[in-house]
Amino acid sequence: MLEAAAEHVKRVHSVVRGRTSSHRLPGPVAAHDAALLPASHTGNEPGLPGAMSRITRSWIRCLDEYKLDPGACLEPEVVAPADLQERQDRHADLQAVAKVEMANLYQQLAGSGYAIILTDRDGVLLNYFGDPAFTHAASRTGLMQGAVWSERVQGTNGMGTCLFEQRPVTVHQDEHYLSRNIGLSCAAAPIFDPGGDLVGVLDASGESHLAQQHTLALVNMSVQMIENRVFLQQYRHEFIMRFHNRPEFIGTLSEGAIALSITGKVLAATRCALFQLGLGGRGEIVGRDVTELFNITFGGLVDASAKKAFHPVPVFEARNGARFFATLTSPESGANVASFIRAGNQARPVLCNHATAARSAALDALAWGDPLMAAHIDTARRVSDRNVAILLQGETGSGKERFARAIHLSSNHAARPFVAINCASIPESLIESELFGYRSGAFTGASKDGQRGKLLQANGGTLFLDEIGDMPVALQARLLRVLEEREVTALGSETPVRLDIHLISATHCDLHARMHRGEFRSDLYYRLQGVTITLPPLRDRTDRRALILQLAAEESDAGAPVEVDAALLAMLEQQHWPGNLRQLRHVLRTMIALRQSDCLTLRDVPPDYHADAAAAARYAPPAAGAAAGPAADATPHHMPQAVAAPEPAGNSLASAERRVLLHELACHDWNLSGVARTLGISRNTLYRKLQRLEIAWREKSLIH
């Protein structure tokens, strides 16, 4: 070891004195660093060697500027306890967020001899997760709370050089400046606050003899998670626009986020937002109006987001027309998106009287007049911020996942992840690794980088287990243990990680029947059944008409709402809808895509839906005063039988239209003018419909 240290000192002096590319150091290159960064943090300085220029420059600083002896073996510099406490208090918010990600990163690297380290901007070590196998190296090199790891004190090292370069770096073994540190391998990435200022470094250090490039990628991903969470926490009292060019990536690590004032001015943006918009720095976006960035006004964004029930809406970049999808999250402390009203051409917010009103908007968006749904929404609102498991039951397509997302968005952890997993769609052999994750090499075919399970991805937020009734019995026991102990251990690992998750489960199965057949554990059922909410099928809801109009508005293009004429609305309202809300949405989506005008009529019903129309017509409510039963379904009792010809056969859509028209005629006592006004058509059009549907009518002179 002494010989290696002496040789290292000679090489340092040789490289610094030579300052030429001919003295390049052995070891891994760092060319991959730039690929991990947004565009604003890349670039090579001219005139410097490529891959090793960063290390070379650092060695030159250490010897010429800091006057450090590469062979020095001084005791590590440690700040006073009072100073350390003051620094930790100053960065309390950062530490609270970083602690979760550090634990996740540590779990992924557990057993690899790594320690996960958080420093402040001065290189003072604030927090530390150490692998037991790394204890000796930690004590020998000074990896302890309060130790100073700036370049000026410790020479070239992951944390200190990262602070100086303000970009991700790897420093592997003999790339370190001080000979006492050449046994370390470090991967570090800088942490910036929402204002763009450097606040610290996240580092993974160990005694690995191989420079594992994926370690830096994992560290960089953890830093992005930290920055995003700090951003959302700091601007929780403002509007947050979250966007990506693919809607399914909203809510993931790669989304962009922009904080907007109540007037639509940009207050701050994440690094991913700058990267997606092709901007070089925050100075190019802060203070600008949202209309300078996208082809939508702030009021239009508010309205579109509320109309889409907080699902992504399409927006276009103002400079080059690139398409993005965006959602708008309302502030925690006041302005409710659903409470925006129009004042001329300006969108003006109506401030609510309490802070929770904005978070209630997501659940309020599900209420359209059905009393049972209103009761369920009230129940969900009461338990959304409490540690109570929620079990959603209901037929396929009845809106269980949307209801779960609304609960999440209405809770105090709305800014945290919402992770959904369908237990019925994942092969039984993979569901355990999907839920719990695994370490590198845990089983044949496992990714060499390991994988964070859904439970860890949802840490701090909500885990939604859809079709929980289809989970294998063997896995149910392990899930129960995780829920009881609130910690998870990845496959192939022995190190548990603490969990803080809000659990929502859903099923269309009869779990009681499955328990009796031994297909579902009763103890897990009672653990999931904190509150059970059974969503009604669409055919039983009293707000079907309002739902149809709302879904039609959601499926319309932004700024171009589609209307539904009365005849079509009445026909849709009478259907059985075995696929519930999902089926209704898909039918409306198809009709809107194929429509001939901005007013949907019976002619816009998709041809492949005709087969269902006839069967669904049996569920049409009888006319007012009609007796129940098959006879009441056909013709209103007060309509003269001689007037209506027998129902034509063969065309099920025509049959459904005929029933609707007969119902309207009966309601208007066969006043054709009144029927035409109700349906929004001319009398001539109504006459043609009556002829086509073989409905006879009295002489016009007797009707008008």
Side-chain angles (χ1 to χ4, degrees), residues 33 133 168 220 294 335 395 437 480 625 634 642 650:
D33 291 0
N220 203 59
F294 302 99
E395 294 181 5
L480 176 64

Side-chain angles (χ1 to χ4, degrees), residues 272-559:
C272 282
L274 300 176
F275 177 66
Q276 291 194 50
L277 295 175
L279 301 177
R282 289 169 173 83
E284 298 181 37
I285 189 172
V286 174
R288 298 173 66 180
D289 193 272
V290 70
T291 55
E292 300 178 56
L293 303 174
F294 302 99
N295 70 329
I296 191 169
T297 65
F298 181 60
L301 182 61
V302 169
D303 291 344
S305 182
K307 184 180 72 173
K308 291 285 187 178
F310 310 103
H311 284 244
V313 297
V315 296
F316 294 87
E317 206 265 332
R319 291 184 305 173
N320 54 29
R323 186 178 69 168
F324 292 95
F325 294 87
T327 62
L328 190 70
T329 304
S330 55
E332 285 189 8
S333 58
N336 188 339
V337 171
S339 300
F340 267 71
I341 63 173
R342 284 290 183 186
N345 293 324
Q346 300 295 322
R348 179 167 56 87
V350 178
L351 299 183
C352 304
N353 293 327
H354 50 87
T356 59
R359 291 195 286 110
S360 298
L363 277 171
D364 291 340
L366 303 180
W368 294 99
D370 183 83
L372 182 57
M373 282 297 295
H376 289 334
I377 290 170
D378 182 64
T379 299
R381 185 179 290 113
R382 290 170 180 266
V383 300
S384 62
D385 288 335
R386 299 185 178 274
N387 186 22
V388 176
I390 299 174
L391 176 61
L392 302 179
Q393 294 182 320
E395 294 181 5
T396 298
S398 57
K400 297 186 290 296
E401 181 170 352
R402 186 169 182 175
F403 198 92
R405 286 185 181 274
I407 295 174
H408 171 75
L409 292 173
S410 299
S411 68
N412 57 16
H413 47 267
R416 301 296 180 89
F418 176 90
V419 178
I421 181 169
N422 190 311
C423 300
S425 65
I426 300 176
E428 184 173 341
S429 59
L430 296 180
I431 192 170
E432 186 172 14
S433 60
E434 283 286 326
L435 271 179
F436 302 104
Y438 57 84
R439 275 192 52 206
S440 174
F443 53 87
T444 302
S447 168
K448 66 177 183 179
D449 297 336
Q451 176 177 296
R452 293 175 63 194
K454 298 293 186 182
L455 286 164
L456 281 175
Q457 292 176 31
N459 208 1
T462 299
L463 178 68
F464 176 60
L465 295 177
D466 198 8
E467 304 302 349
I468 186 70
D470 294 310
M471 177 176 284
V473 176
L475 191 57
Q476 294 174 21
R478 188 170 179 197
L479 176 61
L480 176 64
R481 181 179 177 184
V482 169
L483 297 179
E484 291 292 345
E485 299 179 358
R486 289 288 171 171
E487 61 182 28
V488 62
T489 304
L491 297 177
S493 175
E494 298 179 355
T495 306
V497 177
R498 294 295 298 172
L499 279 181
D500 176 21
I501 57 172
H502 186 206
L503 183 66
I504 304 178
S505 306
T507 183
H508 70 282
C509 304
D510 184 344
L511 292 184
H512 283 284
R514 289 192 172 240
M515 284 192 294
H516 290 315
R517 294 195 300 267
E519 298 172 355
F520 200 84
R521 293 177 62 101
S522 59
D523 47 2
L524 177 59
Y525 173 78
Y526 296 123
R527 182 63 181 80
L528 299 175
Q529 190 202 22
V531 168
T532 299
I533 296 175
T534 302
L535 301 183
L538 180 57
R539 62 183 174 275
D540 292 342
R541 293 181 60 162
T542 60
D543 56 355
R544 289 190 300 278
R545 179 176 291 252
L547 274 173
I548 293 167
L549 296 175
Q550 171 62 18
L551 292 181
E554 289 182 13
E555 293 301 323
S556 302
D557 297 331

Side-chain angles (χ1 to χ4, degrees), residues 669-681:
D669 198 23
W670 285 76
N671 184 316
L672 299 191
S673 296
V675 173
R677 281 194 300 270
T678 299
L679 299 180
I681 59 178

Side-chain angles (χ1 to χ4, degrees), residues 207-219:
E207 290 185 306
S208 173
H209 294 290
L210 298 176
Q212 300 179 9
Q213 295 184 6
H214 76 274
T215 302
L216 183 61
L218 293 174
V219 171

